[in-house]
């Protein structure tokens, strides 16, 4: 995995981020990155995407620095519905649209909509099996990968610690199912510095299937663009177990 790329960087178009696309571009240059994916959060009622794309298109990156775009959207339910404006999803990968949608496990997708961590913990406490909870997420990824255009899994499985589970609750069969869905959709899986996921076992299994993985900082400030500590060590260790 190349660590001179950063495939998930937020700007002030996201309400919780602090740097402009210009600042992030300058930071990418300082870091010597070859590629940066400018990515901001969307919801179903977001209207700023054309403005965001225009702002990124107006940047003048020097030769050797590739600027890509994306939108990060929450997985809503086990059918794979995604919390993004339909016209944005339709325009993915076209000249007028963002390059990719980053599918985010900010909540646990349920059959009836997203479950907050509190709700998911309650369901688990009242008998939902961990493997079934994980399957809800796998189903959501698979459905979204079928329905949407070019995609990237954003910080996959970061929801698990928030609901009292861990990557150990994901079975090999579930990883194989996810890998098949990712490959069929020509999608990529990010390895996320901020959330330190997915871990070595997950990456090794996906790698065996030939799934493409990309480095991401999930920076919300220009200082963090392309800045890898955990991820650099992980990349050095390849797929060696670090547990
Ligand atoms: Zn996220
Ligand atoms: Zn993000």
């Amino acid at each position: 995995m190349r660590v001179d790329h950063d495939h998930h960087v937020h700007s002030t178009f996201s309400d919780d981020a602090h740097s402009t696309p210009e600042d992030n571009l300058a930071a990418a240059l300082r870091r010597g990155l070859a590629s940066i994916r400018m990515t901001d959060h969307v919801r179903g009622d977001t209207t700023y995407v054309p403005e965001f794309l225009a702002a990124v298109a107006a940047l003048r990156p020097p030769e050797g620095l590739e600027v890509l775009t994306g939108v990060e959207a929450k997985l809503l339910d086990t059918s794979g519905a995604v919390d993004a404006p339909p016209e944005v999803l339709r325009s993915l990968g076209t000249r007028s649209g963002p390059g990719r949608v980053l599918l985010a496990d900010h909540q646990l997708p349920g059959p009836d909509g997203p479950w907050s961590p509190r709700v998911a913990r309650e369901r688990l406490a009242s008998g939902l099996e961990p493997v079934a909870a994980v399957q809800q997420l796998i189903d959501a990824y698979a459905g979204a990968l079928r329905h949407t255009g070019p995609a990237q899994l954003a910080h996959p499985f970061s929801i698990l610690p928030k609901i009292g589970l861990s990557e150990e609750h994901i079975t090999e069969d579930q990883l194989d199912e996810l890998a098949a869905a990712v490959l069929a959709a020509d999608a990529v899986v990010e390895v996320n510095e901020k959330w330190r996921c997915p871990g070595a076992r997950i990456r090794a299994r996906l790698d065996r299937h030939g799934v493409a993985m990309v480095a991401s900082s999930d920076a919300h400030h220009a200082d963090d663009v392309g800045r890898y500590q955990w991820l650099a060590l992980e990349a050095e260790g390849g797929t060696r177990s670090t547990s």
Side-chain angles (χ1 to χ4, degrees):
M1 186 179 33
R2 294 179 60 170
V3 291
D4 62 345
H5 290 204
D6 191 337
H7 283 262
H8 184 159
V9 171
H10 291 279
S11 78
T12 42
F13 283 95
S14 295
D15 51 15
D16 58 349
H18 309 283
S19 301
T20 62
E22 290 82 357
D23 293 340
N24 289 332
L25 182 75
L29 261 176
R30 282 197 300 276
R31 290 261 170 214
L33 296 189
S35 185
I36 178 171
R37 185 176 296 282
M38 308 263 181
T39 303
D40 281 301
H41 288 291
V42 296
R43 293 171 181 273
D45 59 359
T46 295
T47 56
Y48 73 74
V49 173
E51 197 189 333
F52 160 64
L53 294 173
V56 175
L59 298 172
R60 290 284 165 262
E63 205 170 318
L65 175 54
E66 176 187 40
V67 176
L68 306 167
T69 54
V71 287
E72 179 175 7
K74 176 167 82 256
L75 293 164
L76 288 171
D77 62 30
T78 50
S79 78
V82 170
D83 193 3
E87 71 276 10
V88 170
L89 293 178
R90 275 197 302 273
S91 69
L92 287 171
T94 67
R95 276 175 69 87
S96 60
R100 287 188 186 272
V101 58
L102 278 68
L103 302 172
D105 58 340
H106 292 150
Q107 303 201 313
L108 184 68
D112 51 347
W115 294 1
S116 69
R118 184 184 57 81
V119 169
R121 281 173 181 272
E122 283 169 8
R123 303 284 169 100
L124 285 158
S126 54
L128 176 69
E129 293 291 338
V131 70
V134 171
Q135 190 63 40
Q136 292 180 196
L137 182 55
I138 301 288
D139 288 347
Y141 279 134
L145 286 165
R146 272 195 303 275
H147 299 151
T148 61
Q152 173 171 323
L153 306 198
H155 45 66
F157 304 115
S158 63
I159 186 69
L160 295 183
K162 299 176 191 170
I163 63 173
L165 301 181
S166 77
E167 289 182 355
E168 286 172 28
H169 292 100
I170 313 166
T171 67
E172 299 298 293
D173 283 350
Q174 287 173 325
L175 291 175
D176 294 346
E177 186 183 340
L178 181 64
V182 168
L183 290 172
D186 208 11
V188 298
V189 172
E190 70 175 39
V191 182
N192 187 293
E193 171 76 20
K194 185 179 176 203
W195 295 98
R196 301 190 168 196
C197 65
R201 178 188 144 240
I202 310 299
R203 297 197 310 272
R205 192 80 183 183
L206 296 178
D207 189 53
R208 258 176 59 183
H209 287 279
V211 168
M213 281 174 270
V214 295
S216 88
S217 66
D218 209 344
H220 284 60
H221 192 286
D223 287 351
D224 294 324
V225 170
R227 188 170 177 177
Y228 302 124
Q229 292 173 354
W230 171 80
L231 198 147
L233 287 171
E234 298 289 300
E236 215 170 81
T239 52
R240 189 193 59 204
S241 171
T242 53
S243 56

